[in-house]
Amino acid sequence: MTDMLSRPGAPGGDSAPPPGPVDAVPTKPVIVSAVLSAGACLLTGLLTCTAVAVIGWLAATFGGASGAIRAGASAWLVAHKAGVTLGAGTISIAPLGLTLFFAWCLYRGGKSAARSSGADQTKDLILLSAVYAGVYGLGGLIVALLTADGALHVSPLSAFLGTTSLAVVAGTVGVLVESGAAADIADATPPGLRDAVPAAAAAVLTVIAVASVLYGVLLAIHFSRVTAMLELLDAGVIGSIVLFALCLMLVPNMILYGVSFLAGPGFQLGTGTTIAPTGVDVGNLPALPLLAAVPADGSTPTYLLVLTALVPLGAGAVAGLIVVRRGRAEQHADALGWDAFALRGGIAAVLAGVAFYVLMALSGGSAGPGRMAAVGIPAALPAAGVLTAGMAIGAAITAAVVAARRPAEPEPEPER
């Protein structure tokens, strides 16, 4: 006897309705999506800064609400590297914690714009990124014009360039990732360079992690200075919240100063000051708890000099291991020799050095009049060069040694 299996739609079987058409996700025009997303990012950043400024105004006993709003808008502009002139001094040092927050918002906004517009053609993606950055930059220009009042002055050109630049970088990355163009670009990139990028990122994160630990240890050692500064300021509850927010925004700057310290050239916290492994000459500092980790004037411990050599080499070794691991997963990995892996390690070190130079250059600026007119890393290029050399040596040697010790393939067993 033959069993007859019934199937949907067959005579005598369970009939099922044919699937209905899938509803298409509604999309907005490219320009509309870009304008809405850029406006949302602009309002998010301004409201965040203004809220902190208003909280500080509530704790103060002078000034008005309009001044607090201008202060918040000025902080938003400074975070985009737009210098703000206040009386005889200029504030151009960007709190990188706030800058990173705005970059993350712009990245998410770029993804949202690409998703809502459904753009996938090259011309549409270019238009979307251009309008997105242009609208955000135009907003920065308008904020600069509205913020200027009396002694407070902001260059509209620097505001437009600073805001537009950040929107171009972060927003375009978000657009490319959401649209899938980033994956296409990665597939079209040569394997050597494609493997060097994550290796460079790992090297950068390794050095930053060591600098963060060093800064945390020094801050814990000098914790008595922190409590003394807080007692001296006597900011109250609301004032302490604002002070904590300010310190939190400046933590990435201090970590990058620690990176330059590990590189050797060091950094400065005022005109004529030096904080380096070879010695410290800084004098009196502002009563900011974040600066309690700065060593006292004089010579520095010997172990810090050792770290200046070990940290770049260790970061390079991490990059070399990642290069070999990713390279061995390629289709034609057997054709690569140890010299190819060493070259990729060197490329990763160069990319990491460029990233460090950009970050260290962005971390400095002017923090006010007088001796605080010069804060940051004046020797950013030599510091990045020292780090690049150390990472290149560590990456090339590690990649070459690990690749040369490739396990031999098992020999086939003789036939019986």
Side-chain angles (χ1 to χ4, degrees), residues 150-210:
L152 180 63
H153 174 72
V154 184
S155 171
L157 179 60
S158 65
F160 176 77
L161 293 178
T163 51
T164 302
S165 299
L166 188 62
V168 166
V169 175
T172 301
V173 172
V175 169
L176 294 178
V177 170
E178 181 65 26
S179 64
D184 297 337
I185 295 174
D187 293 337
T189 304
L193 182 59
R194 187 170 62 241
D195 294 342
V197 171
V204 170
L205 292 177
T206 300
V207 177
I208 289 178
V210 175

Side-chain angles (χ1 to χ4, degrees), residues 42 50 103 113 219 229 316 321 333 406:
L42 186 69
T50 303
L219 197 62
M229 289 180 183
L321 291 174
R406 182 180 303 174

Side-chain angles (χ1 to χ4, degrees), residues 15-75:
S15 61
V22 179
D23 294 335
V25 179
T27 58
K28 299 183 181 71
V30 171
I31 295 179
V32 174
S33 299
V35 171
L36 292 177
S37 296
C41 292
L42 186 69
L43 289 177
T44 299
L46 284 173
L47 290 176
T48 301
C49 294
T50 303
V52 176
V54 169
I55 292 175
W57 167 70
L58 292 175
T61 57
F62 57 89
S66 60
I69 294 175
R70 283 193 177 89
S74 300

Side-chain angles (χ1 to χ4, degrees), residues 240-285:
S240 298
I241 295 175
V242 176
L243 182 63
F244 175 77
L246 178 62
C247 291
L248 192 63
M249 291 185 292
L250 289 172
V251 164
N253 298 67
M254 296 302 300
I255 292 175
L256 286 173
Y257 297 164
V259 171
S260 68
F261 186 90
L262 293 174
F267 60 99
Q268 63 180 5
L269 291 175
T271 304
T273 63
T274 302
I275 301 97
T278 54
V280 177
D281 181 13
V282 68
N284 295 325
L285 292 173

Side-chain angles (χ1 to χ4, degrees), residues 7-400:
R7 62 183 185 276
D14 297 333
S15 61
V22 179
D23 294 335
V25 179
T27 58
K28 299 183 181 71
V30 171
I31 295 179
V32 174
S33 299
V35 171
L36 292 177
S37 296
C41 292
L42 186 69
L43 289 177
T44 299
L46 284 173
L47 290 176
T48 301
C49 294
T50 303
V52 176
V54 169
I55 292 175
W57 167 70
L58 292 175
T61 57
F62 57 89
S66 60
I69 294 175
R70 283 193 177 89
S74 300
W76 182 83
L77 291 169
V78 170
H80 292 84
K81 291 298 289 184
V84 175
T85 301
L86 184 60
T90 301
I91 301 176
S92 61
I93 178 171
L96 293 184
L98 197 58
T99 305
L100 291 174
F101 172 70
F102 294 155
W104 178 80
C105 290
L106 288 167
Y107 167 76
R108 298 291 300 178
K111 293 187 66 175
S112 176
R115 183 169 54 252
S116 62
S117 65
D120 56 358
Q121 300 296 323
T122 302
K123 61 178 183 179
D124 293 335
L125 297 177
I126 294 176
L127 178 62
L128 180 64
S129 299
V131 175
Y132 182 79
V135 171
Y136 192 81
L138 183 61
L141 188 148
I142 295 174
V143 171
L145 293 175
L146 295 177
T147 302
D149 179 40
L152 180 63
H153 174 72
V154 184
S155 171
L157 179 60
S158 65
F160 176 77
L161 293 178
T163 51
T164 302
S165 299
L166 188 62
V168 166
V169 175
T172 301
V173 172
V175 169
L176 294 178
V177 170
E178 181 65 26
S179 64
D184 297 337
I185 295 174
D187 293 337
T189 304
L193 182 59
R194 187 170 62 241
D195 294 342
V197 171
V204 170
L205 292 177
T206 300
V207 177
I208 289 178
V210 175
S212 302
V213 171
L214 177 62
Y215 176 72
V217 169
L218 292 176
L219 197 62
I221 292 174
H222 301 105
F223 189 73
S224 58
R225 297 182 186 175
V226 178
T227 57
M229 289 180 183
L230 292 176
E231 292 177 358
L232 178 65
L233 293 172
D234 191 20
V237 177
I238 298 179
S240 298
I241 295 175
V242 176
L243 182 63
F244 175 77
L246 178 62
C247 291
L248 192 63
M249 291 185 292
L250 289 172
V251 164
N253 298 67
M254 296 302 300
I255 292 175
L256 286 173
Y257 297 164
V259 171
S260 68
F261 186 90
L262 293 174
F267 60 99
Q268 63 180 5
L269 291 175
T271 304
T273 63
T274 302
I275 301 97
T278 54
V280 177
D281 181 13
V282 68
N284 295 325
L285 292 173
L288 189 64
L290 202 66
L291 302 179
V294 177
D297 290 352
S299 59
T300 56
T302 307
Y303 68 86
L304 292 177
L305 294 174
V306 177
L307 287 178
T308 59
L310 294 181
V311 172
L313 291 174
V318 172
L321 291 174
I322 292 179
V323 161
V324 175
R325 181 178 179 181
R326 292 180 62 90
R328 284 180 174 176
E330 295 178 9
Q331 184 176 2
H332 303 289
D334 295 338
L336 297 175
W338 62 269
D339 53 343
F341 287 106
L343 177 60
R344 294 183 180 186
I347 295 175
V350 172
L351 294 177
V354 172
F356 273 125
Y357 173 71
V358 173
L359 291 174
M360 288 189 288
L362 292 175
S363 65
S366 175
R371 69 190 298 260
M372 299 307 294
V375 176
I377 308 170
L381 185 58
V386 171
L387 289 172
T388 302
M391 290 185 295
I393 294 173
I397 293 177
T398 302

